[in-house]
Amino acid sequence: MPYSDLDLAVISLVVFAYCLLSRRLARTAISGPLVFVLLGLILGPSNLGWLNISVDSELLRRLAEITLGLVLFTDAAALDWPLLRKNARLPLRLLLIGLPLSIFLGFVVAYLMLPQLGIVEAALLAVVLAPTDAALGQAVTTNPEVPQAIREDLNVESGLNDGICVPLLLCLLGIATGHFDQINGPKDALLNFIQLLVSELGIGLAIGGCVGILGCWLRDLAQKREWIATDWRPLITVALALSSFTLAQTLEGSGFIACFIAGLLYGIRSTKDLKEDEMVASLSMGDMLALLTWVLFGSAMLPDALRHITISSIIYGVLSLTVVRILPVAIATGGLGIDKWTKLFVGWFGPRGLASIVFVVMVVDAAIPNSQIILTTTTIAILLSVIAHGITANWLSISYGRWERNHVS
């Protein structure tokens, strides 16, 4: 049997086994990402050799991109807009103040600790590790012990910071790859910069807006005339997400921006009950693709990072998950009347995951100088996050929930 068939069979059986044990494992420190990272490491070229996926492979890049696009769509679509409007201060502070501060602080630490990196490369590393991944701390965002407002705030932040970071990442990649070289002076450099923004962001916004508005209008029209079969309804969001991503990419725009905007518009134009019915398939598919991405992360990225690991990359990974995250959260939430334990809790649960994987694959694909250092440092930070946040999610959620109840009462 070819290795590719055996790989797929083994991965499928592990997914099946995890599904059977998912409820019991959810009460432990064994998270889905940790299981599948270890699976990828065992099956990868450094051990059994059944998976032979390299960091620059087309499969890894495309799977990671499509997965993030689908996740961006579903995260944006699933936002509880009434609750968000009611309790918008904390997520807005985290996104508009905390996120820029995290990027800036991450840049400063990278520039000082990793002297091989230039200014643009240090900024790229900071942006790559800025987005959070609520799926890694799922026990936090789903645990009823944690106050609903805090859970929703973390969900909103995680759902929106990926889309906010994409334009900055694209601009930095444009600078790093020479798109803005001042060959004919600063005027041409500025024109090149604007051209990239228009092509990547403008096309992404246009495609996402058109797919979101037109898709919802056609859905509403078909629903009014009772044309939609019940068993086909859950595929609507999958089709909208994939079409917005692929159309934008085909027209040389940003598929991530398109998915994000299409999801926002879909969520605004759909009721809560309708979203729950139609997003079953897209949520499940997103979870499945994310788990497969973790397998490839463990198979391709982790062994490569372990071969190039340095003390500086480990220290930066630790700082990225602690000081670089917690300090900006503390500053951003100042004046909101939030106690220090809540600030620490929100600051700690900023795990790095899927978005960082996609972003660093884009950096490697761009073949910029010192991309290996960025890849190694990012991979180590993600691995530390998978372990640390997976282990602490359950018991810290319970401890914080109990403290919060006692404090309020």
Side-chain angles (χ1 to χ4, degrees):
M1 181 183 294
Y3 277 150
S4 58
D5 291 339
L6 182 58
D7 297 341
L8 182 59
V10 173
I11 292 173
S12 300
L13 288 173
V14 172
V15 171
F16 175 68
Y18 186 82
C19 290
L20 297 180
L21 300 172
S22 56
R23 186 174 182 180
R24 181 170 292 275
L25 289 175
R27 305 190 189 104
T28 70
I30 304 175
S31 64
L34 180 58
V35 170
F36 286 91
V37 168
L38 292 176
L39 172 66
L41 185 61
I42 293 170
L43 296 180
S46 60
N47 290 291
L48 296 181
W50 293 355
L51 289 173
N52 293 295
I53 306 297
S54 62
V55 175
D56 57 355
S57 106
E58 180 70 12
L59 174 61
L60 176 58
R61 185 176 67 84
R62 293 301 291 174
L63 177 64
E65 286 179 349
I66 292 174
T67 303
L68 180 58
L70 187 58
V71 169
L72 283 172
F73 181 95
T74 53
D75 283 349
L79 290 177
D80 189 335
W81 290 102
L83 183 60
L84 181 58
R85 285 193 293 267
K86 184 179 179 181
N87 301 292
R89 287 199 305 165
L90 179 54
L92 284 177
R93 289 282 193 99
L94 293 176
L95 292 168
L96 299 181
I97 301 176
L99 181 60
L101 285 176
S102 291
I103 293 174
F104 176 74
L105 187 55
F107 160 74
V108 172
V109 174
Y111 192 69
L112 294 177
M113 288 196 59
L114 302 167
Q116 307 94 320
L117 299 181
I119 293 177
V120 176
E121 293 166 338
L124 272 171
L125 177 58
V127 173
V128 165
L129 282 172
T132 58
D133 186 351
L136 280 182
Q138 192 172 17
V140 175
T141 57
T142 59
N143 195 323
E145 293 281 347
V146 180
Q148 183 182 5
I150 298 298
R151 283 185 279 140
E152 190 66 26
D153 291 339
L154 290 172
N155 258 327
V156 170
E157 181 199 10
S158 175
L160 298 183
N161 57 17
D162 326 53
I164 293 173
C165 287
V166 167
L168 183 55
L169 179 76
L170 293 174
C171 291
L172 289 171
L173 282 176
I175 296 172
T177 54
H179 280 84
F180 307 143
D181 282 348
Q182 301 184 30
I183 298 175
N184 298 314
K187 182 178 180 180
D188 283 351
L190 179 60
L191 290 176
N192 286 338
F193 179 81
I194 295 174
Q195 184 179 4
L196 178 70
L197 283 180
V198 171
S199 61
E200 290 280 355
L201 306 184
I203 293 174
L205 287 168
I207 293 297
C210 289
V211 170
I213 294 174
L214 183 60
C216 287
W217 179 76
L218 290 173
R219 187 272 318 272
D220 293 341
L221 179 63
Q223 179 175 289
K224 184 178 180 180
R225 300 187 179 185
E226 299 183 351
W227 288 349
I228 305 176
T230 303
D231 51 345
W232 283 89
R233 182 179 293 278
L235 293 179
I236 289 176
T237 51
V238 176
L240 289 176
L242 293 180
S243 60
S244 58
F245 179 83
T246 51
L247 282 172
Q249 294 289 100
T250 300
L251 296 175
E252 299 184 353
S254 171
F256 305 123
I257 297 293
C259 285
F260 182 69
I261 296 302
L264 279 177
L265 293 172
Y266 168 85
I268 292 172
R269 293 176 60 89
S270 304
T271 64
K272 183 177 180 181
D273 292 339
L274 191 61
K275 286 194 289 186
E276 289 179 354
D277 291 339
E278 292 184 349
M279 291 180 63
V280 173
S282 58
L283 288 170
S284 299
M285 183 175 289
D287 289 341
M288 172 68 78
L289 292 177
L291 292 178
L292 294 179
T293 303
W294 285 116
V295 172
L296 297 184
F297 171 83
S299 171
M301 295 176 63
L302 188 53
D304 181 85
L306 293 177
R307 286 194 297 269
H308 297 90
I309 193 170
T310 64
I311 296 297
S312 295
S313 63
I314 296 174
I315 295 175
Y316 186 88
V318 172
L319 292 176
S320 177
L321 302 179
T322 53
V323 177
V324 172
R325 161 71 182 180
I326 295 175
L327 183 59
V329 168
I331 295 173
T333 54
L336 293 180
I338 297 176
D339 59 82
K340 64 178 181 180
W341 297 116
T342 299
K343 291 181 179 181
L344 284 172
F345 184 82
V346 173
W348 170 242
F349 283 107
R352 309 309 196 277
L354 182 61
S356 294
I357 292 176
V358 176
F359 288 176
V360 79
V361 169
M362 292 170 65
V363 171
V364 171
D365 192 52
I368 67 171
N370 295 314
S371 60
Q372 181 63 59
I373 297 175
I374 298 175
L375 171 65
T376 299
T377 308
T378 300
T379 303
I380 296 303
I382 294 172
L383 176 64
L384 292 174
S385 181
V386 169
I387 297 172
H389 292 108
I391 290 174
T392 60
N394 270 312
W395 69 268
L396 274 183
S397 296
I398 295 172
S399 300
Y400 170 72
R402 290 173 178 171
W403 180 88
E404 184 72 15
R405 286 198 306 274
N406 294 334
H407 179 73
V408 172
S409 59

